[in-house]
């Protein structure tokens, strides 16, 4: 049998998917398996590494079955998975505890100390970003301080997709996009000893795996993995991509100025640049090849809000989010003005701000129904994306915007993105953008295409373009300004919201007065864009 098909594996925060693609990007078969998040302790969000591998096994078998194919039809396999966090192996290459996910917040105290002591500021000119609470380097510092025996036993520091590829091939490696989340020099795009020294992590340098390019071969399927998955022994597996970069590639984005939005558990907003650009409001990481950078503005404040509300409004209904989405789809597809729905700040799990934040509904009245609340949440999550996109526009011109995830395939929601962002947005018909991006690296790894750009160009994935509607764009611009102003007004109250109001009211009043003065002095939209920016060569 000819090997005409590629499998892309995408192991997300809650679901692992294996998707069989044709040479032109058409989905032939899909397998899905849920993967548990273990949260036995406050602030700890973990994944059992063996359970993650079992989900991959099941999803591959399901995808092959759905496609009506044998493993011999698969030319290559590509892998992506939820990014950041950290997965550890001991020196015998066995899992060293559970993998730690990017929703984890155990290292908050270390993160705050690094900010207070100026350590975070020292990392910016080296790495192009400050550490996040859930970055591998921050989590390793937490393990060093709190679990010293585990820290001393570390043999390999890898990421979620690297673990899956190891299970498939028996080879340990990572790629440029993953390594740059925590360990690399912004300008050389190699591992940085200076960065490790600043963070007190020099002793794990030898545990950092070989760093390869995403489209290189990262091994072949072993006999053991073949018996479990139904793949053929010797099937090549590409090194693969960090999940957000995979989603961008799956949208057809490979060039500087291509801006990609993923509306998933996190609000992911990223734009490729052909030079490093450092500034406030985004992180600058490596792209999928050397000489390409990826400026990212992210926060845990997107579609997870909608899933939460769906469970609250319609408990026990597995289709609650779909039902509520259909209700607002029907409403927004009608001509006329936007209904007077409340205004929502989507900070249930975090925010873009360097401060504690809480979600809020403003302007709720007795006549509002569940569709009003759900619409407010959708608008609030898109406003949060808008704030990130506005920051990324400082890094250079934007050629085009593509969006995946979070119900963006629904016409009314896609149109909302266009109206709120004030730019045309492109939505692919193929919904598995991350899996497609991973599969395209696999197609290059076996020589079907010379490079990732050629692989993307060969895909025949229909795109729908939504353009801003002038009337609604004007309405949303006014609402967005109100959203920003209310955010500023609430900031002084976040830190002591749950302590009974024992903090000084005078301090809050002073802070509000200062922020009001700032807003009167200039456009409120500028507050998220303050700071300096450097481009190109190392300062």
């Amino acid at each position: 049998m000819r090997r005409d098909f590629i499998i892309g594996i995408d192991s997300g925060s809650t679901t692992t998917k294996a998707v069989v693609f044709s040479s032109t990007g058409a989905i032939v078969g899909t397998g899905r398996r849920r993967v548990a998040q273990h949260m036995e302790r406050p602030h700890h969000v973990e994944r059992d590494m063996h359970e993650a591998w079992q989900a991959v096994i099941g999803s591959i078998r399901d995808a092959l079955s759905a496609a009506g194919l044998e493993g011999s039809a698969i030319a290559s396999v590509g892998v992506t998975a939820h990014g950041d966090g950290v997965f550890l192996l001991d020196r015998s290459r066995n899992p060293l505890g559970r993998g730690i996910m990017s929703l984890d917040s155990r290292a908050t105290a270390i993160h705050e100390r690094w900010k207070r002591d100026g350590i975070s500021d020292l990392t910016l000119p080296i790495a192009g970003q400050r550490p996040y609470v859930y970055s591998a380097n921050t989590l390793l510092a937490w393990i060093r301080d709190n679990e010293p025996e585990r820290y001393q036993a570390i043999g390999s520091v890898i990421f979620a997709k690297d673990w899956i590829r190891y299970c498939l091939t028996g080879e340990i490696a990572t790629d440029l996009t993953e390594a740059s989340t925590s360990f690399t020099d912004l300008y050389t795009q190699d591992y940085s000893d200076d960065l490790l020294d600043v963070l007190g992590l020099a002793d794990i340098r030898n545990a950092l795996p070989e760093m390869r390019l995403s489209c290189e071969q990262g091994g072949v399927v072993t006999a053991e993995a073949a018996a479990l998955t139904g793949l053929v022994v010797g099937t090549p597996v590409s090194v693969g991509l960090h999940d957000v970069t995979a989603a961008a590639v799956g949208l057809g984005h490979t060039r500087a100025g291509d801006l990609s939005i993923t509306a998933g558990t996190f609000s992911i907003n990223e734009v490729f640049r052909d030079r490093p650009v450092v500034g406030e409001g985004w992180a600058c990481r490596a792209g999928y090849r050397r000489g390409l950078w990826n400026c990212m503005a992210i926060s845990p404040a997107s579609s997870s809000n909608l899933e939460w509300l769906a469970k609250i409004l319609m408990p026990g209904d597995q289709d609650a989010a779909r039902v509520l989405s259909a209700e607002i789809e029907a409403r927004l597809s009608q001509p006329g003005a936007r209904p007077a729905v409340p205004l929502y700040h989507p900070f249930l799990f975090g925010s873009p701000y360097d401060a504690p934040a809480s979600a809020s509904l403003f302007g709720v009245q007795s006549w509002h129904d569940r569709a009003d609340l759900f619409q407010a949440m959708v608008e609030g999550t898109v406003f949060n994306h808008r704030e990130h996109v506005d920051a990324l526009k400082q890094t250079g011109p934007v050629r085009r915007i593509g969006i995946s995830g979070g119900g963006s395939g629904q016409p009314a929601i896609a149109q909302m993105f266009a109206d709120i962002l004030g730019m045309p947005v492109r939505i692919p018909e193929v919904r598995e953008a991350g899996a497609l991006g991973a599969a395209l690296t696999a197609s290059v790894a076996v020589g079907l295409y010379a490079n990732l750009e050629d692989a993307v160009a060969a895909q025949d994935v229909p795109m729908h373009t939504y353009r801003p509607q002038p009337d609604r764009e004007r309405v949303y611009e006014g609402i967005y300004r109100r959203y920003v102003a209310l955010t500023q007004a609430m900031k002084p109250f976040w830190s002591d919201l749950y302590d009974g109001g024992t903090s000084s009211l005078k301090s809050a009043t002073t802070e509000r007065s200062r922020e009001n003065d700032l807003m009167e002095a200039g456009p409120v939209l500028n507050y998220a864009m303050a700071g300096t920016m450097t481009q190109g060569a190392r300062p």
Side-chain angles (χ1 to χ4, degrees):
M1 178 181 289
R2 291 176 55 189
R3 291 191 163 194
D4 291 334
F5 302 95
I6 305 290
I7 286 183
I9 298 169
D10 182 0
S11 182
S13 297
T14 57
T15 303
T16 291
K17 292 166 282 190
V19 186
V20 181
F21 292 97
S22 73
S23 59
T24 58
I27 293 178
V28 181
T30 302
R32 290 183 175 85
R33 294 293 175 99
R34 300 282 291 184
V35 193
Q37 295 178 0
H38 295 275
M39 297 178 283
E40 285 87 354
R41 298 169 61 187
H43 305 291
H44 290 232
V45 184
E46 300 177 326
R47 171 148 295 165
D48 184 281
M49 294 167 70
H50 295 296
E51 290 175 358
W53 171 230
Q54 289 300 314
V56 171
I57 293 170
S59 64
I60 292 175
R61 286 196 167 275
D62 292 348
L64 290 172
S65 176
L69 297 172
E70 300 293 331
S72 56
I74 304 303
S76 186
V77 178
V79 184
T80 188
H82 57 89
D84 293 89
V86 69
F87 281 46
L88 300 175
L89 304 179
D90 63 20
R91 292 180 180 86
S92 298
R93 297 188 165 191
N94 295 312
L96 190 58
R98 292 172 176 162
I100 303 176
M101 302 182 68
S102 58
L103 293 172
D104 194 279
S105 59
R106 73 185 68 184
T108 298
I110 287 175
H111 183 256
E112 291 299 314
R113 187 176 76 237
W114 283 354
K115 288 193 299 182
R116 184 177 64 250
D117 296 346
I119 292 174
S120 292
D121 290 336
L122 293 176
T123 67
L124 185 62
I126 301 172
Q129 61 186 328
R130 298 180 178 89
Y132 293 99
V133 170
Y134 47 80
S135 295
N137 45 30
T138 315
L139 292 166
L140 284 166
W142 185 92
I143 294 171
R144 178 197 65 205
D145 295 350
N146 294 273
E147 298 176 349
E149 291 184 3
R150 183 184 184 190
Y151 186 77
Q152 292 300 322
I154 293 174
S156 297
V157 176
I158 59 175
F159 297 89
K161 74 132 176 30
D162 304 324
W163 163 246
I164 294 168
R165 192 185 57 256
Y166 170 68
C167 292
L168 286 167
T169 68
E171 292 196 18
I172 294 176
T174 194
D175 82 298
L176 193 62
T177 63
E178 298 277 22
S180 73
T181 65
S182 290
F183 303 116
T184 62
D185 182 284
L186 174 65
Y187 299 90
T188 67
Q189 298 183 318
D190 293 319
Y191 285 130
S192 170
D193 291 337
D194 289 343
L195 180 61
L196 294 174
D197 287 341
V198 167
L199 298 177
L201 297 171
D203 46 359
I204 58 96
R205 175 64 179 85
N206 291 334
L208 298 181
E210 178 187 359
M211 183 170 36
R212 305 179 188 174
L213 295 180
S214 301
C215 293
E216 293 180 15
Q217 282 197 24
V220 298
V221 173
T222 64
E224 180 182 1
L228 293 169
T229 62
L231 296 169
V232 172
V233 176
T235 301
V237 181
S238 62
V239 174
L241 291 162
H242 184 283
D243 62 343
V244 300
T245 313
V249 171
L251 286 170
H253 289 184
T254 58
R255 297 171 58 187
D258 286 345
L259 193 150
S260 309
I261 292 174
T262 304
T265 302
F266 271 61
S267 169
I268 305 293
N269 312 270
E270 54 186 327
V271 62
F272 287 135
R273 294 295 176 205
D274 55 10
R275 66 197 184 285
V277 187
V278 179
E280 302 295 335
W282 65 88
C284 191
R285 296 176 171 180
Y288 60 84
R289 59 171 173 79
R290 290 186 180 275
L292 187 71
W293 285 263
N294 189 14
C295 294
M296 296 177 54
I298 63 178
S299 59
S302 191
S303 63
S304 50
N305 286 265
L306 311 182
E307 296 165 4
W308 173 84
L309 183 64
K311 291 177 182 178
I312 295 295
L313 294 178
M314 301 174 66
D317 190 335
Q318 297 297 316
D319 292 326
R322 183 187 59 79
V323 171
L324 293 168
S325 295
E327 289 181 4
I328 67 167
E329 178 79 22
R331 170 188 287 177
L332 293 175
S333 64
Q334 300 299 318
R338 166 190 179 272
V341 301
L343 196 152
Y344 178 68
H345 289 85
F347 309 143
L348 279 176
F349 302 99
S351 77
Y353 314 116
D354 190 17
S358 298
S360 64
L361 276 164
F362 181 83
V364 181
Q365 299 289 344
S366 61
W367 58 79
H368 288 131
D369 58 20
R370 70 185 190 187
D372 293 321
L373 300 183
F374 200 73
Q375 180 179 335
M377 282 203 168
V378 174
E379 291 175 349
T381 60
V382 180
F383 288 148
N384 188 62
H385 281 283
R386 157 76 185 268
E387 188 164 335
H388 289 309
V389 170
D390 283 352
L392 290 176
K393 287 180 178 179
Q394 289 190 97
T395 68
V398 173
R399 293 179 60 246
R400 56 183 177 175
I401 297 178
I403 306 177
S404 63
S408 58
Q410 299 179 46
I413 294 178
Q415 185 61 54
M416 185 186 295
F417 268 100
D419 294 336
I420 290 175
L421 296 178
M423 289 185 65
V425 299
R426 301 164 68 248
I427 311 292
E429 280 193 5
V430 175
R431 302 306 303 153
E432 304 298 346
L436 177 57
L440 292 177
T441 68
S443 69
V444 177
V446 292
L448 296 179
Y449 301 100
N451 52 53
L452 200 53
E453 292 85 350
D454 288 350
V456 166
Q459 304 308 298
D460 183 20
V461 178
M463 292 276 184
H464 295 290
T465 299
Y466 294 82
R467 302 183 184 280
Q469 299 173 341
D471 290 346
R472 288 195 176 184
E473 182 182 359
R474 284 192 294 271
V475 170
Y476 276 125
E477 184 64 27
I479 298 169
Y480 177 65
R481 289 176 177 271
R482 188 178 306 142
Y483 168 95
V484 174
L486 280 169
T487 301
Q488 293 286 54
M490 291 187 297
K491 277 186 177 182
F493 299 99
W494 284 336
S495 61
D496 65 333
L497 187 61
Y498 301 108
D499 71 353
T502 58
S503 297
S504 171
L505 179 61
K506 179 179 179 181
S507 175
T509 303
T510 301
E511 180 66 17
R512 289 201 308 276
S513 176
R514 184 185 66 82
E515 289 171 345
N516 288 337
D517 291 342
L518 288 174
M519 285 190 288
E520 290 174 3
V524 294
L525 296 181
N526 288 341
Y527 86 93
M529 314 310 170
T532 58
M533 178 173 63
T534 60
Q535 301 183 13
R538 183 189 296 278

